[in-house]
């Protein structure tokens, strides 16, 4: 269903065109040093435009709780559609309700910060539209965590392509979980991790290629000091676990590990193109005996300097309150005694 638009001009540097757009939609079109922001009239009262030139800043009202639900948009959330190109711009979004960011052939380089910076602690869907290539590049500035930076739960989806390069820290950063389905993600470099998230990481399908990271390919942190344990449908889960159910994950030219997780690494499907020995899980929460139990291969334990330690599985005879590396067959874990 279409509805008459309300056009909002992002200060004098931005221009708009009189077109009809879908309900619940904000369209952002980058064009060099300018950006056009166009809002559907049914949600215009919920979004404040504080943009300047090609640096787009939108603030979604805290009072927004969904409008005009449809079959395809059952939460009635606001959809932000990004297209066009800029070599000195950004997309910055604040909010407190679920939203969707559609990447529809957009290229954003921000020399001074994240290309996309989403300050919204709720679920954020990031959809690369079919047939489109989208590219995000940041600048060398340590005041943020990623070229793509998201405060909330991040679900990557779609059948398009997303290219990301992190010149400051991580290429892709989420303060909460990351889920990936269908799309192609190419991380072409990062000063730290290619993908870094908290709570858990889940790859269901799609293709992820990570190349040229100074630290890990993928790192998953526990968001706190205790684990929720695995939950049904991963609802409210905070385990620090890495899950791979399908798709293809290729990681090359990394500084530390291909995959590192505060919790467990659980691969039940898909293709992994990197040495399996370069997957490191952290058994702090699992308990030493639980971490070593069930294996038929003798475990070897090393300190962080690589020195082999004398270990008995029942007593884990190493220095307490220190980290140690346990290798058992193709499985490597980091253990706190």
């Amino acid at each position: 269903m279409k509805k008459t638009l309300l056009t909002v001009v992002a200060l004098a540097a931005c221009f708009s065109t009189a077109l009809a757009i879908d309900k619940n939609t904000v369209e952002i079109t980058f064009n060099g040093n300018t950006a056009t922001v166009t809002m559907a009239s049914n949600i215009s009262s919920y979004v404040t435009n504080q943009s300047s030139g090609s640096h787009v800043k939108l603030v979604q009202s805290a009072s927004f709780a969904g409008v005009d639900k449809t079959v395809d948009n059952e939460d009635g959330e606001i959809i932000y559609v990004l297209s066009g190109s800029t070599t000195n711009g950004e997309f910055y979004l604040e909010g407190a309700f679920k939203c969707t960011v559609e990447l529809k052939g957009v290229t954003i380089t921000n020399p001074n910060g994240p290309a996309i910076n989403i300050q919204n602690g709720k679920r954020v869907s990031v959809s690369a539209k079919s047939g489109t290539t989208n590219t995000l590049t940041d600048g060398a500035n340590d005041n943020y965590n990623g070229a793509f930076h998201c405060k909330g739960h991040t679900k990557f989806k779609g059948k398009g392509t997303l290219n990301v390069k992190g010149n400051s820290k991580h290429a892709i950063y989420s303060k909460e979980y990351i889920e990936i389905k269908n799309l192609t993600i190419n991380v072409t470099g990062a000063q730290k991790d290619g993908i870094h998230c908290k709570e858990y990481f889940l790859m269901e399908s799609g293709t992820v290629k990570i190349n040229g990271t100074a630290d890990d390919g993928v790192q998953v942190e526990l968001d706190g000091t205790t684990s929720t344990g695995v939950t049904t449908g991963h609802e409210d889960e905070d385990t620090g676990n890495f899950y791979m159910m399908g798709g293809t994950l290729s990681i090359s030219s990394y500084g530390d590990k291909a995959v590192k997780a505060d919790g467990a690494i659980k691969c039940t499907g898909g293709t992994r193109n990197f040495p399996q020995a370069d997957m490191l899980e952290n058994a702090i929460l699992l308990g030493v005996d639980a971490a070593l139990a069930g294996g038929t291969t003798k475990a070897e334990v090393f300190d962080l300097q690589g020195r082999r330690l004398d270990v008995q599985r029942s007593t884990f005879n190493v220095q307490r309150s220190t980290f140690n590396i346990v290798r058992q067959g193709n499985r490597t874990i980091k253990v706190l005694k």
Side-chain angles (χ1 to χ4, degrees):
M1 180 181 295
K2 301 286 185 179
K3 191 165 184 176
T4 304
L5 63 80
L6 172 67
T7 298
V8 180
V9 179
L11 299 184
C14 300
F15 303 91
S16 59
T17 350
L19 298 172
I21 64 173
D22 290 324
K23 291 167 61 175
N24 296 12
T25 301
V26 179
E27 291 186 354
I28 301 98
T29 304
F30 293 94
N31 184 10
N33 291 323
T34 65
T36 302
V37 178
T38 308
M39 300 184 193
S41 58
N42 73 309
I43 46 89
S44 61
S45 61
Y46 296 107
V47 181
T48 302
N49 187 352
Q50 300 178 1
S51 305
S52 176
S54 54
H55 290 262
V56 175
K57 180 178 181 179
L58 302 178
V59 180
Q60 187 172 300
S61 171
S63 66
F64 181 79
V67 293
D68 298 322
K69 299 180 181 181
T70 66
V71 173
D72 295 328
N73 186 1
E74 60 185 20
D75 292 316
E77 61 197 76
I78 296 176
I79 302 169
Y80 299 87
V81 182
L82 277 58
S83 63
S85 178
T86 177
T87 57
N88 183 18
E90 67 178 316
F91 175 68
Y92 177 97
L93 175 66
E94 290 182 16
F97 190 80
K98 301 172 185 177
C99 68
T100 293
V101 176
E102 286 190 359
L103 308 178
K104 201 172 181 180
V106 68
T107 297
I108 303 174
T109 297
N110 183 2
N112 301 308
I116 292 182
N117 188 349
I118 302 173
Q119 294 297 310
N120 184 337
K122 301 298 183 180
R123 189 271 293 140
V124 178
S125 290
V126 180
S127 175
K129 301 305 290 181
S130 179
T132 68
T133 298
N134 307 274
T135 303
L136 308 176
T137 308
D138 66 354
N141 182 336
D142 287 337
N143 293 327
Y144 60 94
N145 288 313
F148 174 92
H149 181 117
C150 185
K151 182 181 177 181
H153 322 301
T154 311
K155 291 190 174 185
F156 289 99
K157 62 182 183 179
K159 295 186 178 180
T161 299
L162 172 60
N163 303 318
V164 189
K165 184 173 184 180
N167 290 310
S168 177
K169 293 183 181 178
H170 314 301
I172 295 174
Y173 171 84
S174 176
K175 195 175 179 181
E176 298 179 352
Y177 67 71
I178 283 180
E179 295 185 359
I180 296 174
K181 183 177 181 179
N182 292 332
L183 85 167
T184 296
I185 295 177
N186 296 313
V187 171
T188 57
Q191 291 302 307
K192 289 196 173 181
D193 303 327
I195 298 176
H196 188 110
C197 66
K198 298 186 178 182
E199 298 186 345
Y200 68 87
F201 172 96
L202 171 63
M203 184 169 177
E204 183 176 338
S205 58
T207 300
V208 175
K209 297 179 181 179
I210 300 173
N211 180 62
T213 64
D215 202 350
D216 305 311
V218 178
Q219 183 174 5
V220 191
E221 285 189 88
L222 186 70
D223 189 14
T225 57
T226 59
S227 173
T228 61
V230 180
T231 64
T232 302
H234 305 291
E235 184 72 21
D236 297 323
E237 178 175 326
D238 181 15
T239 55
N241 285 354
F242 172 97
Y243 301 98
M244 186 169 180
M245 302 168 56
T248 300
L249 176 60
S250 301
I251 306 176
S252 58
S253 299
Y254 43 92
D256 192 2
K257 294 295 180 181
V259 176
K260 185 186 293 181
D262 275 357
I265 294 175
K266 301 184 177 183
C267 300
T268 57
T271 301
R272 292 169 296 284
N273 296 323
F274 52 85
Q276 300 305 294
D278 280 351
M279 299 176 72
L280 177 68
E281 54 185 353
N282 189 339
I284 292 175
L285 304 171
L286 304 178
V288 173
D289 288 343
L292 299 179
T296 58
T297 305
K298 182 179 178 181
E300 297 176 295
V301 180
F302 304 84
D303 64 16
L304 294 185
Q305 285 71 49
R307 295 172 297 196
R308 186 170 178 174
L309 304 175
D310 179 28
V311 172
Q312 297 178 14
R313 177 178 293 182
S314 60
T315 60
F316 199 64
N317 185 25
V318 295
Q319 184 179 353
R320 290 186 176 274
S321 301
T322 59
F323 284 103
N324 297 274
I325 303 300
V326 179
R327 186 173 64 199
Q328 189 175 38
N330 290 329
R331 186 176 184 223
T332 303
I333 57 178
K334 185 178 180 181
V335 176
L336 177 65
K337 174 58 176 174

